[in-house]
């Protein structure tokens, strides 16, 4: 069973949380100038890596705050949690196909 | 190829079954193939079979990093149905249901296709409206099915507790839905493709593509470099990893999906019964095990495991609907990695790289489509243009906006 560290509540069982996919995808500012290609890429396309993944979680059955997690999707090892707005922590990759 | 028949069975019995030929060869890879299929699941093997059988392309290899059928094909709960909402889906999935009917004869391999019927139960007015809308849509597509009242459901499934916490208010029954034996589908296609000259190469992982001037020329594998005129990638949960090797992204995320089976018991569950409302479905294998599943784990992962909380939720729903099963012992549990698109429809498509085709995004529900998917994908690769049934499922739809939204049809029901 996976344990996740909420930056506000501490280490809790994964079933208290909800995952919301890849983090650090900024909404484009020039929304009127965007082509269908660019809109589609922003809304639907994801890197979905096997290895290091920076992702958003909500502590749904706890404090209901959003935060980010760095996790290895090949092993489910959780490396770090950090608050929204903070920079990605640098993680020394442990799997072959893990990326920046 | 040694044909499987009653006469051959008798003939081989005389030699204590010592002389059966291996079901397929295990050749070393050649330097070059006309077409290489990456991924030896049901969809990849079916593609190779139809390439050789119907498109006259026999210089074909299937490269599988583990053992064939070891991915989602050998991990799924084998439910077959075609009661999807949109015309595009109905055409594609019903094409598969058509092929399932004659598949054992076609492959000379018993895939144990059993159209025992699939029942979706509704627990709320909203559920009823959803099956009503979907039921009417599939009637228009000529796919046989019927609405059932609670009284009719009780007659068919006497052990169901309709008066549970979210009472059962009705159902949609597709008579020709059912199950098939997953391993037999992989092995049957492999054996039949091999007999037509296709090389099936196991323990051969693709680790990179050789792309020149925007066209794929071949690939690096754990068994050395292989060149190919065309490449079809059919790797389910790992499609984003392969796309990354080719330099593009997909509108897909990979999640674990779990299933479990009970100890074998005498026949008691005659149909496949699923509930999107309380999140669980059940059927019984011919060995007698109850086959149980539910929704996927809700975070991306490649671990083929998943969390215990999902199993607990699933079994709570099962016990609520079928109190008689509360003391059944579960024997095995496992997970597969499913490749999920936002519109819950697959991707059969050309890619930004010429001569590189992807067949993926089948997510939690692609087993049922295996023969149809392989069939249209083979024709698409051979002709270099997507088959009419495959065309609506291109990657471009995520940029054009022409999604094929099957969210409701495949919520929990795989
Ligand atoms: C628990 C569970 C229950 C399900 N229940 C149902 C159901 O009831 N009904 C239904 O219709 N569908 C169901 N599905 C979905 C269904 O199993 C899949 O959609 C379908 O089997 C996909 O087949 P495939 O051949 O595309 O993929 P797979 O069978 O997964 O084959 C892909 C293959 O590619 C190989 N591969 C990956 N990377 C590489 C590489 N780099 N090089 C070479 N090979 C590689 C893998 O090892 C794998 O064998 C379920 C899935 C799961 C996990
Ligand atoms: Zn918290």
């Amino acid at each position: 069973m996976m344990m996740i560290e909420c930056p506000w509540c501490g280490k809790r069982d994964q079933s208290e949380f909800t995952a919301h996919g890849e983090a650090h995808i900024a909404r484009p500012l020039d929304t009127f100038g965007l082509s269908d290609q660019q809109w589609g890429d922003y809304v639907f396309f994801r890197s979905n890596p096997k290895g290091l993944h920076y992702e958003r979680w909500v502590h749904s059955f706890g404090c209901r705050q959003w935060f980010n997690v760095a996790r290895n999707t090949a092993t489910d090892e959780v490396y770090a949690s950090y608050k929204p707005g903070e920079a990605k922590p640098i993680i020394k990759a442990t799997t072959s196909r893990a990326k920046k | 190829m040694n044909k499987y028949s009653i006469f051959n069975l008798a003939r081989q019995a005389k030699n204590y079954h010592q002389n059966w030929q291996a079901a397929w060869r295990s050749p070393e890879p050649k330097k070059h193939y006309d077409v290489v299929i990456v991924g030896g699941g049901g969809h990849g093997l079916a593609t190779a079979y139809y390439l050789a059988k119907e498109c006259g392309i026999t210089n074909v290899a299937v490269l599988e990093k583990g053992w064939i059928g070891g991915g989602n094909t050998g991990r799924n709960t084998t439910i077959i149905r075609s009661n999807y909402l949109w015309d595009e889906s109905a055409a594609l999935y019903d094409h598969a249901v058509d092929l399932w009917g004659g598949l054992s004869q076609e492959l000379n391999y018993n895939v144990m296709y059993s159209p025992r019927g699939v029942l979706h139960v509704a627990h709320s007015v909203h559920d009823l409206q959803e099956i009503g809308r979907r039921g009417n849509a599939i009637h228009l597509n000529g796919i046989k099915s019927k609405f059932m009242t609670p009284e009719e459901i009780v007659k068919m499934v006497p052990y169901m507790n309709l008066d549970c916490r979210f009472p059962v208010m009705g159902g949609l029954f597709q008579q020709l839905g059912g199950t098939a034996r997953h391993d037999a589908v992989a092995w049957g296609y492999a054996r039949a493709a091999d007999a037509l000259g296709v090389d099936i190469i196991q323990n051969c992982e693709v680790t990179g593509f050789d792309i020149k001037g925007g066209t794929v020329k071949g690939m690096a594998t754990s068994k050395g470099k292989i060149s190919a005129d065309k490449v079809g990638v059919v790797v389910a949960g790992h499609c984003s990893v392969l796309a990354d090797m080719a330099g593009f992204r997909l509108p897909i995320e990979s999640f674990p999906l779990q299933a479990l089976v009970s100890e074998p018991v005498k026949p008691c569950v005659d149909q496949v019964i699923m509930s999107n409302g309380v999140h669980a479905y059940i059927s019984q294998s011919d060995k007698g095990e109850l086959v149980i599943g539910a929704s996927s784990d809700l975070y991306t992962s490649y671990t083929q495991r998943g969390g215990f909380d999902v199993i607990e939720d699933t079994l709570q729903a099962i016990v609520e609907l079928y109190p008689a099963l509360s003391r059944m012992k579960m024997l095995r549990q496992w997970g597969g990695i499913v490749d999920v698109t936002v519109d819950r429809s697959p991707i059969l498509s050309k890619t930004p790289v010429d001569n590189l085709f992807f067949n993926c995004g089948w997510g939690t529900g692609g087993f049922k489509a295996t023969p149809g998917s392989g069939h249209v994908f083979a024709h698409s690769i051979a002709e270099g243009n997507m088959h009419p049934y495959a065309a609506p499922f291109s990657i471009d739809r995520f940029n054009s906006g022409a999604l094929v939204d099957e969210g409701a049809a495949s919520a929990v029901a795989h």
Side-chain angles (χ1 to χ4, degrees):
Chain A
M1 177 129 314
M2 212 157 73
M3 300 291 282
I4 291 177
E5 177 106 18
C6 170
W8 290 276
C9 311
K11 213 172 216 175
R12 307 289 303 167
D13 193 293
Q14 163 261 314
S15 61
E16 287 186 12
F17 300 87
T18 318
H20 282 267
E22 190 169 343
H24 303 289
I25 301 176
R27 183 180 166 86
L29 293 176
D30 177 22
T31 49
F32 287 105
L34 243 46
S35 65
D36 287 354
Q37 194 65 35
Q38 289 165 315
W39 267 123
D41 288 353
Y42 160 67
V43 176
F44 296 125
F45 287 70
R46 295 292 177 263
S47 53
N48 193 26
K50 182 174 187 175
L52 181 57
H53 191 218
Y54 295 96
E55 56 195 12
R56 301 180 306 153
W57 287 78
V58 188
H59 196 181
S60 315
F61 300 103
C63 65
R64 300 190 57 81
Q65 303 254 41
W66 289 75
F67 59 99
N68 294 331
V69 169
R71 180 173 61 97
N72 187 335
T73 59
T75 60
D76 280 349
E77 189 183 349
V78 178
Y79 297 124
S81 298
Y82 54 104
K83 292 183 181 168
E86 288 177 9
K88 290 181 187 179
I90 310 287
I91 311 288
K92 213 169 93 311
T94 53
T95 39
S96 55
R97 286 204 58 78
K99 292 194 300 183
K100 53 182 183 308
Chain B
M1 176 174 85
N2 256 180
K3 205 166 177 327
Y4 294 154
S5 70
I6 184 84
F7 304 109
N8 258 335
L9 192 65
R11 217 166 286 139
Q12 296 287 349
K14 280 194 295 194
N15 306 314
Y16 302 97
H17 298 288
Q18 302 285 310
N19 297 335
W20 285 107
Q21 177 184 70
W24 53 83
R25 302 160 294 131
S26 293
E28 282 306 305
K30 294 188 231 166
K31 287 266 164 297
H32 177 84
Y33 290 94
D34 294 348
V35 178
V36 166
I37 301 297
V38 184
H43 290 235
L45 293 162
T47 307
Y49 169 74
Y50 292 113
L51 274 171
K53 170 86 190 304
E54 294 190 2
C55 308
I57 304 177
T58 53
N59 185 23
V60 174
V62 177
L63 309 183
E64 164 55 51
K65 77 169 171 186
W67 64 96
I68 60 167
N72 293 347
T73 297
R75 294 165 187 269
N76 82 92
T77 44
T78 76
I79 298 165
I80 296 169
R81 60 189 180 89
S82 59
N83 48 4
Y84 286 77
L85 178 64
W86 298 101
D87 295 358
E88 294 85 349
S89 323
L92 185 60
Y93 288 100
D94 212 43
H95 182 46
V97 169
D98 281 346
L99 292 171
W100 277 114
L103 198 59
S104 293
Q105 300 302 325
E106 158 116 27
L107 300 179
N108 180 231
Y109 204 106
N110 188 0
V111 300
M112 296 165 76
Y113 170 51
S114 157
R116 57 186 67 180
V118 174
L119 174 67
H120 281 249
V121 293
H123 300 266
S124 64
V125 174
H126 172 84
D127 265 2
L128 277 179
Q129 286 168 343
E130 191 277 317
I131 61 169
R133 178 179 181 218
R134 187 148 51 88
N136 286 324
I138 66 177
H139 280 301
L140 291 178
N141 279 315
I143 296 168
K144 212 173 135 204
S145 67
K146 67 169 184 195
F147 297 109
M148 293 181 76
T149 62
E151 294 72 38
E152 289 168 324
I153 293 176
V154 159
K155 260 198 218 121
M156 192 170 87
V157 193
Y159 52 91
M160 188 190 282
N161 173 21
L162 275 71
D163 198 18
C164 54
R165 179 159 170 221
F166 300 103
V168 174
M169 299 169 67
L172 178 65
F173 188 58
Q174 186 185 2
Q175 292 90 331
L176 281 184
T179 59
R181 182 175 174 218
H182 48 15
D183 292 331
V185 173
W187 299 338
Y189 272 119
R191 174 168 167 273
D194 174 89
L196 295 171
V198 172
D199 285 356
I200 289 159
I201 300 162
Q202 305 186 78
N203 299 311
C204 181
E205 179 172 2
V206 171
T207 53
F209 290 108
D210 175 17
I211 297 168
K212 286 202 184 74
T215 305
V216 69
K217 300 289 178 192
M219 62 224 86
T221 78
S222 52
K223 297 198 175 194
K225 281 195 162 47
I226 299 174
S227 66
D229 296 338
K230 292 178 182 173
V231 180
V233 175
V234 200
V235 295
H238 279 76
C239 55
S240 298
V241 177
L242 275 283
D244 184 45
M245 291 175 195
F248 57 91
R249 292 189 310 165
L250 291 172
I252 281 184
E253 289 182 307
S254 298
F255 297 91
L257 176 63
Q258 306 185 59
L260 53 165
V261 293
S262 73
E263 56 194 334
V265 290
K266 285 188 177 171
C268 56
V269 180
D270 297 332
Q271 301 81 12
V272 180
I273 309 170
M274 36 179 69
S275 157
N276 285 357
V278 302
H279 272 224
Y281 59 87
I282 190 166
S283 67
Q284 188 169 18
S285 75
D286 291 350
K287 277 187 287 180
E289 302 150 323
L290 300 181
V291 182
I292 294 169
S295 81
S296 64
D297 284 61
L298 295 173
Y299 51 87
T300 62
S301 180
Y302 287 84
T303 57
Q304 294 188 324
R305 283 200 297 269
F308 286 119
D309 52 323
V310 174
I311 301 174
E312 193 178 357
D313 285 351
T314 308
L315 291 178
Q316 276 168 354
I318 290 289
V319 171
E320 182 69 22
L321 270 178
Y322 316 104
L325 304 181
S326 68
R327 289 192 288 166
M328 289 286 289
K329 291 189 179 67
M330 294 298 140
L331 279 191
R332 285 179 289 127
Q333 165 276 340
W334 64 90
I337 300 305
V338 295
D339 39 337
V340 178
T341 58
V342 280
D343 62 359
R344 301 295 187 272
S345 285
I347 290 173
L348 293 122
S349 186
K350 297 184 185 184
T351 66
V353 178
D354 285 343
N355 293 343
L356 179 64
F357 301 80
F358 266 60
N359 179 349
C360 58
W362 290 96
T364 61
F367 175 70
K368 63 176 75 67
T370 306
S373 157
H375 188 248
V376 299
F377 197 51
H379 282 275
S380 305
I381 293 177
E383 277 142 41
N385 261 321
M386 299 317 288
H387 185 280
Y389 284 169
F393 298 96
S394 81
I395 305 181
D396 296 341
R397 74 178 187 271
F398 295 91
N399 294 104
S400 70
L403 303 185
V404 187
D405 188 355
E406 292 292 355
S410 48
V412 171
H414 313 307

